[in-house]
Amino acid sequence: MNLKNKVLETIRQNNLIQPKEKVIVAFSGGPDSVCLLHLLHELKAELDIKLYAFHLNHQIRGLDAHRDAWYCLSLCDEYDIPFFVDSTDVPGYAQNMKMSLEEAARDVRYKKLFYLKSILNADKIAVAHNMDDQVETVLMRMMRGTGLYGLKGMEQLLSNGIIRPLLSVQKKEIIEELEQNGIHWQVDTTNQEDNYTRNKIRLSMILLMEECYPTAKENIFRMSASIREDSQYIEQNAMSFFEENHTLINSNTVKLELDDFFDMDLAIQKRSVRYSINVVLHSLKGIETVHLDSVIQLAKRYGDAQINLPKNLTVYKKQSALYFSTEELKEDILSFFYELEQNETIDISEISTEIETKVLLKDKNFMLSTGAYKKAFDFDKVSGRLFVRSREAGDRIKPMGLEGTKKIKNIFIDAKVPLAERNRIPIICDEAGNILWVVGHCISEEFKIDETTKKVILITVKQEND
């Protein structure tokens, strides 16, 4: 199969381009983008598309950069493709934004491309990443300590309209296609300099790997494709969980509920964290596996805490939720925790409530009057001290008369308790964490009074408006 048909098959199998669409080619003048423009020009009628080309002068290579722009203009003129060119001081931008030159060039390039896409009302932006680029990307991410998400490499089609029709094409195939058709290209000498990480991988590491395994590039590419298939399934499940358990507080803050978080597989937990970060930062750049692990550990902590991540992002643990924010957390999150002393009354100012405890001896004629906010429990079954607190992630109780345990969250859902009110409901628990009473809703089977009971604790809850 020739390269033209190979790329056509890739486009159709992956639904990269639809008939009547407008496609902008990111056109540097190097062999990859020249080949991409050439092939899409050849396929233009068959695909029934409108082509445009965009070139950016990064102001890095002096006169060579101007020659690149003139070359791109002449080839687009030959192909009768509308050509757009822009120029930006990328070194200055990199310095101002405190980015590497590579990062700054990519950032500026895509900003310009998406701006042109909006002006032209275009559908897709075609970039010329090939198999060699994919292998380099996977190796770079692997060395940084990436997870499954990073090992899958670059996608052929992104939701923002980026497409990569040459991703399954090797560099040598691109050169052969150009040479066979007598098409020249521009040479960027910076690609041969070893002061960039990607260039070092390309010029040294991959060559050493191929000495040991001649098909190393193809093997790594197949691995990333296989990982991508498995990752898509996991991502679908993770996104479903995330959609059900997150709330956008404002443009800078996302809340992720933890009630069901630890019932999920670690892969779902990490992806939920990553989605939360992406909603706030609109990017995952600089976020690595070690950061995701730190957030998971934060979620496991008892009580409130916080950690700082890159890009001025702070993650707060507050009761039964994580908050991801680039600003100081302003949401008033109700939280309380008090010890219940025997035969004492305490005031919980946070919810304007008093709780009274009385320890009584049980005799043969023992009788107590109870109600929704007055309950009696077998004090002998209590482990250590008693506490009253607001709800925490993962809270469970064994409801009276039922087999097994039930999540406090589900009790609230069944009772149609509004989210805003759930943190105001007192939870009575012992030192071992066993829950005796979800006040006003449910008492535990494990602390019921029976014939073996010797001491009873009577707990009465009074609210200010009672």
Side-chain angles (χ1 to χ4, degrees):
M1 182 185 298
N2 62 33
L3 191 56
K4 174 182 171 181
N5 289 333
K6 181 178 180 178
V7 170
L8 178 61
E9 185 178 271
T10 295
I11 290 171
R12 287 178 168 166
Q13 284 183 348
N14 296 279
N15 296 312
L16 302 187
I17 302 174
Q18 304 302 322
K20 306 299 182 184
E21 286 192 329
K22 298 177 181 179
V23 180
I24 302 170
V25 177
F27 190 30
S28 69
D32 303 336
S33 64
V34 170
C35 186
L36 176 61
L37 189 75
H38 156 69
L39 291 172
L40 290 179
H41 173 66
E42 291 283 307
L43 294 167
K44 182 171 64 173
E46 191 166 355
L47 292 171
D48 189 18
I49 58 174
K50 174 68 174 177
L51 279 180
Y52 302 88
F54 172 77
H55 176 84
L56 177 66
N57 181 347
H58 299 81
Q59 297 184 23
I60 295 174
R61 297 171 47 245
L63 287 175
D64 286 343
H66 291 290
R67 293 189 186 100
D68 292 347
W70 278 110
Y71 167 79
C72 292
L73 172 62
S74 63
L75 189 60
C76 287
D77 186 55
E78 179 183 336
Y79 286 167
D80 194 24
I81 294 174
F83 177 68
F84 298 85
V85 63
D86 203 344
S87 180
T88 299
D89 178 13
V90 170
Y93 180 83
Q95 186 175 11
N96 292 335
M97 301 300 293
K98 297 181 180 179
M99 292 178 168
S100 71
L101 203 57
E102 284 179 290
E103 288 177 314
R106 188 186 310 108
D107 191 52
V108 171
R109 189 162 57 248
Y110 279 109
K111 283 180 179 177
K112 299 285 187 180
L113 282 164
F114 281 111
Y115 176 73
L116 181 61
K117 180 173 179 282
S118 67
I119 294 298
L120 295 175
N121 195 27
D123 303 284
K124 301 290 170 56
I125 296 172
V127 294
H129 294 121
N130 56 55
M131 183 188 293
D132 295 51
D133 297 319
Q134 181 77 300
V135 170
E136 292 162 15
T137 297
V138 170
L139 289 173
M140 285 177 67
R141 292 177 178 178
M142 188 183 300
M143 288 186 292
R144 287 200 301 262
T146 189
L148 198 65
Y149 182 82
L151 289 176
K152 71 180 185 178
M154 297 179 283
E155 302 279 1
Q156 287 186 314
L157 172 63
L158 297 179
S159 58
N160 59 10
I162 295 288
I163 60 172
R164 297 184 171 98
L166 301 184
L167 202 57
S168 60
V169 178
Q170 291 192 56
K171 182 78 166 194
K172 63 183 181 182
E173 295 178 271
I174 289 172
I175 300 301
E176 288 173 2
E177 174 72 16
L178 296 177
E179 289 178 342
Q180 288 172 5
N181 287 275
I183 301 172
H184 301 288
W185 62 88
Q186 298 299 100
V187 176
D188 184 349
T189 55
T190 61
N191 288 333
Q192 302 304 313
E193 298 172 1
D194 65 359
N195 55 337
Y196 298 113
T197 302
R198 183 177 288 273
N199 288 0
K200 289 178 181 178
I201 292 173
R202 179 189 305 125
L203 301 173
S204 302
M205 182 180 291
I206 292 178
L207 293 178
L208 289 173
M209 292 172 63
E210 288 183 316
E211 285 183 14
C212 300
Y213 297 96
T215 59
K217 279 194 291 196
E218 293 93 326
N219 295 341
I220 293 172
F221 182 81
R222 281 196 297 270
M223 177 200 74
S224 68
S226 177
I227 289 174
R228 195 177 308 115
E229 293 172 358
D230 294 342
S231 180
Q232 285 173 351
Y233 173 76
I234 300 173
E235 295 285 346
Q236 289 171 359
N237 286 276
M239 182 55 71
S240 176
F241 173 80
F242 177 70
E243 291 294 343
E244 292 175 3
N245 290 275
H246 91 280
T247 305
L248 185 64
I249 303 299
N250 56 48
S251 61
N252 299 309
T253 307
V254 166
K255 176 183 180 182
L256 181 63
E257 298 283 353
L258 294 176
D259 292 297
D260 298 322
F261 188 74
F262 291 108
D263 292 338
M264 308 306 294
D265 187 88
L266 183 60
I268 305 298
Q269 295 174 18
K270 287 188 175 182
R271 280 164 175 77
S272 298
V273 169
R274 197 173 65 236
Y275 297 152
S276 301
I277 294 171
N278 192 50
V279 169
V280 177
L281 298 182
H282 308 292
S283 169
L284 291 170
K285 188 164 184 62
I287 302 299
E288 300 179 2
T289 301
V290 64
H291 300 126
L292 304 182
D293 291 339
S294 297
V295 176
I296 300 296
Q297 291 304 311
L298 174 68
K300 292 178 179 178
R301 291 186 194 175
Y302 185 77
D304 295 351
Q306 67 184 64
I307 59 172
N308 297 319
L309 296 185
K311 309 294 183 184
N312 196 35
L313 178 68
T314 302
V315 186
Y316 302 85
K317 163 74 186 306
K318 298 283 187 181
Q319 291 184 291
S320 57
L322 291 175
Y323 293 79
F324 300 77
S325 185
T326 53
E327 60 188 20
E328 185 178 352
L329 194 60
K330 296 178 181 178
E331 185 182 13
D332 184 18
I333 303 168
L334 184 65
S335 176
F336 55 90
F337 188 96
Y338 295 90
E339 182 176 353
L340 291 176
E341 300 282 357
Q342 298 179 32
N343 302 310
E344 295 284 348
T345 299
I346 68 162
D347 176 57
I348 307 174
S349 59
E350 291 89 343
I351 55 173
S352 303
T353 298
E354 285 185 352
I355 298 184
E356 179 187 43
T357 63
K358 290 182 181 179
V359 177
L360 309 168
L361 293 176
K362 177 177 174 268
D363 56 28
K364 290 182 180 179
N365 299 315
F366 185 81
M367 293 288 290
L368 280 176
S369 173
T370 62
Y373 292 92
K374 186 176 183 180
K375 298 293 182 183
F377 304 91
D378 187 332
F379 193 52
D380 300 317
K381 296 174 182 175
V382 173
S383 297
R385 297 171 295 171
L386 278 176
F387 302 95
V388 56
R389 60 169 174 80
S390 48
R391 66 184 181 126
E392 291 282 353
D395 276 346
R396 286 179 174 271
I397 190 173
K398 186 175 183 180
M400 182 73 77
L402 297 181
E403 292 294 328
T405 62
K406 188 171 184 178
K407 288 182 179 180
I408 303 300
K409 174 186 176 181
N410 292 336
I411 291 173
F412 290 156
I413 290 173
D414 293 344
K416 295 182 171 53
V417 178
L419 275 171
E421 294 298 317
R422 294 178 188 179
N423 287 346
R424 301 184 61 83
I425 295 174
I427 305 292
I428 310 296
C429 64
D430 65 15
E431 201 163 350
N434 303 306
I435 295 176
L436 288 71
W437 187 15
V438 180
V439 174
H441 292 276
C442 180
I443 61 174
S444 172
E445 174 78 21
E446 296 177 310
F447 296 90
K448 72 178 180 180
I449 298 169
D450 55 32
E451 64 276 3
T452 66
T453 302
K454 295 180 180 178
K455 286 195 294 184
V456 171
I457 184 164
L458 181 66
I459 305 176
T460 304
V461 177
K462 299 177 182 179
Q463 296 180 326
E464 274 188 1
N465 56 0
D466 288 350

